[in-house]
Amino acid sequence: MLILYHNRYSFSIDDSTGDYLDDFARYLQKPFAFWYLPSSKRRQINLIRNRMLYLMENNRQIYEQLLVRKDYSTFESKQQTILKIYQWLQTLPDEPATKSGIDINQWEQDLKSQFGHLLLESESSVPELQKVLKKLPPLNFHQILTGPDDTSRKQKFEHLIAILLKEQWIAPSETEGIYQFRNTGTGGRLQLAALYFTLNKLGHIQQRLTAPKVAAVFNSWLSHSIPRESFIKAFQTEQQDTFNCGAHKPRYKYVRDCSLLLREL
């Protein structure tokens, strides 16, 4: 968000990062009301805006250090900035979070679950942080869903399971919390790939993960007979893009069926 805002001024005469940040802070203070977005997406955007404003007011240096870099928009610079934010959050007491309305602990957990793999790969990652991240439990499916808090995301996941059970996509198994995928035919992989695509399209996916991690969160609750490599491939970006098609394409039927399936989620 900051980088996109900063790029709007990339051709200005007065190249003042300080002015960019002052203007950006005023922008974050204004109410966000894009009525055409789903309410869950608006809540998530407002959460990010509030966190960015809190960071601006309490540790502006992180922004300044990012924007002063010539490569400020690169993956590496953003990765290092995320690490700095995480390390800074760990130094904060609980009291400021209460006064500002920002849940510091939840912010830390969100960074760990969403960017833990990036933090581990960072060359500047300290050994202590690596130990913390390596001890994190595997990511659960509900954590990638949208919602104002962990409880609401769990409720959405439970609702999704109830829908899939009702429509006989899945069936209970002998292992608690694990469900058996009922479609063992050739279209089963496309069915699950379309389910993820449609969840994302309808604004129910909060965290964008790599294909192996998407497959892993599905495997955390779903038992199926789809080969591992084929299953991972279904969630690759180029494969997911094939579902964004017209009614004359074969894959449109999968998306249409999933849209009907999820209309009450």
Side-chain angles (χ1 to χ4, degrees), residues 3 22 25 37-38 53 60 71 78 100 133 141 147 169 232 260:
I3 289 171
D22 291 339
L37 293 177
L53 183 59
R60 184 180 175 122
D71 65 339
K78 288 182 281 189
S100 66
L133 293 171
F141 194 87
W169 276 45
I232 291 175
L260 292 172

Side-chain angles (χ1 to χ4, degrees), residues 40 145-146 152-160 204 265:
S40 60
L145 299 177
T146 53
S152 65
R153 289 190 283 270
K154 286 182 179 178
Q155 291 174 346
K156 177 176 286 190
F157 177 60
E158 291 171 359
H159 190 187
L160 174 62
H204 294 303
L265 185 63

Side-chain angles (χ1 to χ4, degrees), residues 212-223:
K213 288 187 175 294
V214 175
V217 293
F218 267 97
N219 289 334
S220 68
W221 62 274
L222 187 66
S223 175

Side-chain angles (χ1 to χ4, degrees), residues 27 30-34 36-37 41-43 45-46 49:
Y27 163 74
K30 296 177 182 178
F32 179 84
F34 286 171
Y36 52 82
L37 293 177
K41 182 65 68 175
R42 291 199 302 270
R43 285 195 298 268
I45 292 174
N46 281 322
R49 287 165 61 93

Side-chain angles (χ1 to χ4, degrees), residues 16-28:
S16 170
T17 301
D19 289 344
Y20 297 151
L21 293 179
D22 291 339
D23 198 14
F24 186 57
R26 288 190 289 270
Y27 163 74
L28 293 174

